[in-house]
Amino acid sequence: MTLAVMLLAGCNEQAVPPKEFDGATALSYVQAQLAFGPRIPGTPGHERMAAWLDSLLRTRADTVIAQRWVHRSAAGDSLSLVNFVARFNPAATTRLLFLAHWDTRPRADGPMSRDSALPVPGANDGGSGVAVLLGMADALKKSAPEIGVDLLFVDGEDYGDFDSDRDVLLGSRYYAAHQAPGPAPRFAILFDMVGDKELQIPQEGYSATGAPDVVELVWSIAARAGHGEVFVREQGITLTDDHIPLQQAGIRAIDVIDFSFGGPDNKWHHTPDDTLDKVSAASLQIVGDVGMAVVRLQKQ
Ligand SMILES: [Zn+2]
């Protein structure tokens, strides 16, 4: 057993800490994002959202790093992209990384979409993960973590085409090559599509194979927090998502994702129907509670 595995296993004995995440506020963060319009790289909504995220994080975190770069797309467009890293307890050597993508998809080109010319509103795909991280930022500002916590908001996840692997996962790829200074995180948790009213989170395939002990830790904490009905102990789909570039960079990263948005056929994914009414404060609350419990139960 490695030291890291022992540290993880030891946490399983401890009681789950009191709840401190506010699901209603998290839902208001989804609403605020939708008010910017689609957050597509190269559009005004994307710029407004970046400015909002930047100012909001600077009033909460100890340090904020904005990573700005220009990506030349397959179509030849120059996209100005930005990742934000909100650091809490930046001097701590034991660190956790939580991430979500903040951009939204330019085209609603999912297989169940009624109009692939429209952009994706991104209440769930984009909005929900950001809302959970922002709710965690609120809780971490109120009560500083014992360990170090980095909240990473990656840009350009959903811009391009996953089949050809072009112009997707841009922010997580950039971060994997330009990590925040200091020690690497003990592990990383990606939140994606975690606001679905009918939330069901099975264990994503690359997470279960790439970081099985982290999956076990998170699902066991969720069960002890009373959320075993949501964090189900089932094998989920295997997905290329922002955890993959981190895994490839040697970070033990998992993807917490509900890829059954609107039912088992995932019918609202990458459609114009990814709207505010499809997500709930209760679902964000569950995921935020689990995220905060993971933070509070990790020791130096
Ligand atoms: Zn997407």
Side-chain angles (χ1 to χ4, degrees):
M1 197 180 244
T2 65
L3 178 61
V5 172
M6 284 168 61
L7 289 166
L8 291 168
C11 301
N12 290 345
E13 318 308 322
Q14 295 166 285
V16 173
K19 292 185 189 225
E20 51 185 317
F21 183 91
D22 185 344
T25 301
L27 186 64
S28 80
Y29 290 142
V30 176
Q31 198 167 9
Q33 291 173 77
L34 291 176
F36 295 122
R39 283 81 71 207
I40 304 164
T43 69
H46 183 264
E47 266 179 48
R48 287 194 293 266
M49 167 87 181
W52 175 75
L53 210 43
D54 193 7
S55 68
L56 200 148
L57 293 173
R58 283 180 201 282
T59 61
R60 287 161 176 77
D62 297 318
T63 311
V64 178
I65 301 169
Q67 301 185 316
R68 296 178 195 278
W69 75 105
V70 174
H71 173 77
R72 177 61 68 100
S73 75
D77 298 324
S78 287
L79 302 172
S80 292
L81 302 178
V82 55
N83 288 341
F84 296 102
V85 192
R87 313 199 85 186
F88 294 84
N89 200 359
T93 52
T94 300
R95 311 197 64 78
L96 296 186
L97 176 64
F98 295 86
L99 67 152
H101 75 91
W102 71 265
D103 64 306
T104 57
R105 188 162 184 77
R107 296 160 304 282
D109 56 359
M112 311 281 281
S113 181
R114 57 188 160 79
D115 188 347
S116 59
L118 294 174
V120 176
N124 195 27
D125 191 359
S128 66
V130 167
V132 168
L133 294 196
L134 290 177
M136 290 180 70
D138 289 337
L140 292 167
K141 177 170 173 64
K142 259 187 207 158
S143 173
E146 191 179 308
I147 56 164
V149 176
D150 295 326
L151 306 178
L152 168 63
F153 300 76
V154 290
D155 201 352
E157 185 267 349
D158 227 350
Y159 187 80
D161 176 38
F162 284 90
D163 292 333
S164 64
D165 197 36
R166 280 192 187 147
D167 301 330
V168 292
L169 313 179
L170 298 173
S172 53
R173 284 177 167 144
Y174 189 89
Y175 189 80
H178 304 86
Q179 293 178 40
R186 184 176 277 174
F187 57 82
I189 300 177
L190 165 64
F191 294 126
D192 195 6
M193 299 176 70
V194 289
D196 188 343
K197 274 183 176 167
E198 312 275 322
L199 196 62
Q200 277 280 295
I201 307 178
Q203 299 173 343
E204 185 276 328
Y206 290 128
S207 308
T209 53
D213 50 342
V214 180
V215 169
E216 175 51 36
L217 174 81
V218 172
W219 264 254
S220 82
I221 287 175
R224 284 183 290 130
H227 301 313
E229 305 280 299
V230 169
F231 282 74
V232 289
R233 288 189 173 275
E234 289 167 17
Q235 168 85 54
I237 194 170
T238 295
L239 272 180
T240 299
D241 204 348
D242 284 318
H243 60 320
I244 299 302
L246 299 186
Q247 284 193 352
Q248 288 166 345
I251 298 172
R252 296 183 309 142
I254 69 164
D255 190 3
V256 171
I257 185 164
D258 176 355
F259 209 65
S260 56
F261 184 30
D265 55 0
N266 203 27
K267 68 176 180 230
W268 293 328
H269 179 239
H270 289 180
T271 75
D273 303 312
D274 181 357
T275 47
L276 187 65
D277 56 304
K278 311 296 194 306
V279 303
S280 74
S283 294
L284 298 169
Q285 178 80 52
I286 289 168
V287 176
D289 283 342
V290 171
M292 287 310 302
V294 169
V295 169
R296 300 302 184 198
L297 290 174
Q298 288 290 308
K299 303 297 171 197
Q300 288 287 356

